[in-house]
Amino acid sequence: MKRSTGQRLLDLLVWAIVALTLAPVAFMVYASLSDYNDVVAGHLVDAHFTPHWSNYREMWVNVDFLAFLRNSLVICGFTTLFATLLASLAAYSLARFRFRGNHPFSVAVSTTQVIPGMLFFLPLYMLYIQLDDAGLPMMNTYHGMIFLYTAMFTPASIWIMRGFFVSIPRDLEEAAIIDGCSRLGAFVRIVLPISAPGLVATASFVFLLAWDEVFFAWVLTSSPDVQTVPVGLRLYMGQHATRYDLMMAAAVVSVLPVLAAFFASQRWFIKGLAAGAVKG
């Protein structure tokens, strides 16, 4: 069957959007491998281009980027684990049980996503200061950042997971309960395996948000022992404001873990988003 002109134009539009989206990424990688003088002069297009891998070596020498990567992996990893776990339990309760305040709570969870996080900064900062004075350190700590990110990203995760749990037939759980399984056992053995694509999609969503967050990480951390990749990248840019080749190299390194995580879970992530769009 021949494709219509409209379909071809639509395909062309999609490829144009893809090209525009990938162009900055391609420029970032190309500039990170270019000579400093060529980047400053704007002479990036060269038929005899030779990659300057020394940019990455120099970038690692100038700053302990591995420490920032470790901090991000620890904070984002535990945030993803806790937010996904709490969201699964809360979303399952909202999807399966009817209790007083069920609907208002669901609406409140969705409403939190339209409130800018910046509005929470001042009361959160004062709370952390008071907890520090009370002997419970929250500023400049792993658990302080994990607690904050978990609280920030759990509401959106609940909203995503609820759609998956609603779409799962109740008959499957009831059959498991009749066979002697408890409600929690049915949830763990029946519901969670079926909703695995949703869990992966939610976990990926939380991980990406936590990895990219910079404002709270910048304000609530002051030690390289806790600071994450976005903060380290910002500090690095401040120290090497004119070394665009090194800044591009640092940006490429900060993106690699996210790309690795996405491609590792790509099949489940896309399947989960598609299922949520159809069922939710």
Side-chain angles (χ1 to χ4, degrees):
M1 181 183 296
K2 294 184 177 179
R3 307 183 67 183
S4 64
T5 304
Q7 290 177 327
R8 293 182 177 180
L9 291 176
L10 183 60
D11 291 343
L12 182 61
L13 177 61
V14 171
W15 282 110
I17 294 175
V18 171
L20 289 175
T21 303
L22 295 180
V25 180
F27 173 80
M28 177 179 67
V29 175
Y30 191 87
S32 69
L33 296 172
S34 300
D35 180 73
Y36 166 72
N37 295 323
D38 292 336
V39 175
V40 174
H43 301 154
L44 294 178
V45 180
D46 188 355
H48 305 285
F49 173 74
T50 302
H52 288 71
W53 298 103
S54 59
N55 292 341
Y56 288 88
R57 183 171 61 253
E58 185 176 353
M59 184 269 297
W60 283 103
V61 170
N62 291 337
V63 64
D64 188 9
F65 219 76
L66 186 61
F68 296 117
L69 287 174
R70 182 192 65 242
N71 296 336
S72 284
L73 290 175
V74 172
I75 293 175
C76 298
F78 279 103
T79 297
T80 302
L81 176 63
F82 294 148
T84 305
L85 176 62
L86 294 175
S88 300
L89 297 174
Y92 180 76
S93 300
L94 293 174
R96 285 293 185 264
F97 304 119
R98 292 294 176 264
F99 52 88
R100 181 175 298 179
N102 180 298
H103 181 68
F105 181 79
S106 299
V107 174
V109 169
S110 302
T111 304
T112 59
Q113 302 310 297
V114 301
I115 302 176
M118 192 74 66
L119 298 179
F120 300 111
F121 164 68
L122 185 57
L124 178 70
Y125 184 81
M126 296 177 64
L127 173 63
Y128 272 31
I129 292 295
Q130 292 178 359
L131 289 175
D132 283 353
D133 295 339
L136 179 60
M138 298 293 286
M139 298 283 292
N140 206 42
T141 60
Y142 278 147
H143 59 267
M145 295 303 302
I146 293 171
F147 174 81
L148 169 63
Y149 285 168
T150 302
M152 287 177 59
F153 305 136
T154 296
S157 303
I158 294 175
W159 181 75
I160 295 173
M161 287 301 304
R162 183 178 180 276
F164 288 95
F165 292 143
V166 168
S167 66
I168 298 176
R170 294 175 179 265
D171 297 341
L172 298 176
E173 300 165 65
E174 294 175 355
I177 294 175
I178 292 175
D179 290 340
C181 196
S182 64
R183 172 65 71 174
L184 179 60
F187 172 70
V188 174
R189 299 178 182 179
I190 304 299
V191 177
L192 288 184
I194 295 177
S195 59
L199 290 172
V200 174
T202 303
S204 302
F205 171 78
V206 173
F207 185 83
L208 293 176
L209 287 181
W211 187 275
D212 291 338
E213 203 284 323
V214 63
F215 176 75
F216 287 100
W218 175 264
V219 175
L220 300 179
T221 60
S222 58
S223 171
D225 296 332
V226 184
Q227 290 173 330
T228 56
V229 166
V231 178
L233 187 60
R234 182 173 179 179
L235 292 173
Y236 188 74
M237 293 173 62
Q239 296 172 3
H240 303 85
T242 59
R243 291 301 304 272
Y244 302 109
D245 52 341
L246 300 185
M247 286 193 294
M248 292 297 102
V252 171
V253 172
S254 66
V255 169
L256 288 179
V258 179
L259 290 178
F262 174 77
F263 285 117
S265 60
Q266 180 182 18
R267 180 171 65 91
W268 292 95
F269 182 75
I270 296 176
K271 184 178 179 181
L273 291 182
V278 174
K279 300 175 184 177

